Amino acid sequence: IFVLGAEGHWKALRAGAEFEIYDSSLAPYNSLRFFQNLTFAPAERSRLGFNFTETFVNYEQAGRADQNYTATVNYNQAFTRRLNFDVEAGVSQRIGDGVDQTLAVFRPQLHYAYGKFSASIGYDLNYDEFLNSQTRIRNLGFIRLRKDF
């Protein structure tokens, strides 16, 4: 494996690029990846982040290539020292011969912690579409209680 990359920071922005050569007897490939992250505090005790990733993979022996694009956003709001709210949403698309796939998620969560006790309530929505022919949607609500001893 050979990897060469660079990244830079400027205020709330972080960006970079990475090139990888994976030499394997099973599935050698070359990949080029770009990433961008923007994180800032829109209000007191809150954080908002945007993440983007683009990956281009070339499987030389197989004669095919994939492209992957991912975008996510996350938000955190601390109401008090013990109570906070998180939400994350994102979409990822993989494009290539026989691998076209779209994934999407939405995950809000309310979290409370006091001493060794914590409680969370949240929801997960997952969407998965493969080759424009198979679609799966998963809805999951949850409550978590935890006590450390």
Side-chain angles (χ1 to χ4, degrees):
I1 297 176
F2 172 78
V3 179
L4 177 65
E7 73 175 62
H9 302 268
W10 182 69
K11 297 188 179 186
L13 179 65
R14 177 179 160 249
E18 181 178 271
F19 178 71
E20 178 180 359
I21 298 173
Y22 184 78
D23 190 13
S24 166
S25 60
L26 296 175
Y29 65 84
N30 298 335
S31 72
L32 180 61
R33 183 175 79 95
F34 301 101
F35 61 90
Q36 307 84 38
N37 307 96
L38 177 64
T39 305
F40 59 97
E44 188 176 343
R45 297 190 313 213
S46 69
R47 184 183 51 79
L48 179 62
F50 299 93
N51 304 297
F52 303 98
T53 305
E54 306 83 29
T55 307
F56 307 93
V57 183
N58 183 20
Y59 299 93
E60 293 177 17
Q61 288 182 349
R64 69 179 186 88
D66 295 348
Q67 301 165 21
N68 299 286
Y69 303 96
T70 303
T72 62
V73 61
N74 49 59
Y75 178 74
N76 173 273
Q77 176 67 54
F79 298 115
T80 68
R81 204 172 52 128
R82 296 185 174 105
L83 181 66
N84 66 59
F85 173 73
D86 294 302
V87 64
E88 178 182 39
V91 64
S92 178
Q93 188 166 28
R94 183 175 178 193
I95 302 167
D97 291 336
V99 295
D100 288 348
Q101 184 174 26
T102 301
L103 304 170
V105 297
F106 175 68
R107 297 179 181 130
Q109 180 177 341
L110 188 62
H111 184 76
Y112 176 80
Y114 183 78
K116 294 184 177 185
F117 172 79
S118 64
S120 299
I121 185 168
Y123 171 71
D124 281 355
L125 170 64
N126 293 291
Y127 173 85
D128 182 358
E129 182 179 315
F130 186 71
L131 295 175
N132 294 323
S133 62
Q134 298 175 353
T135 302
R136 182 178 68 175
I137 299 173
R138 187 182 83 164
N139 292 285
L140 174 68
F142 63 88
I143 297 174
R144 289 187 189 115
L145 302 173
R146 179 178 174 162
K147 172 70 173 148
D148 293 327
F149 296 95

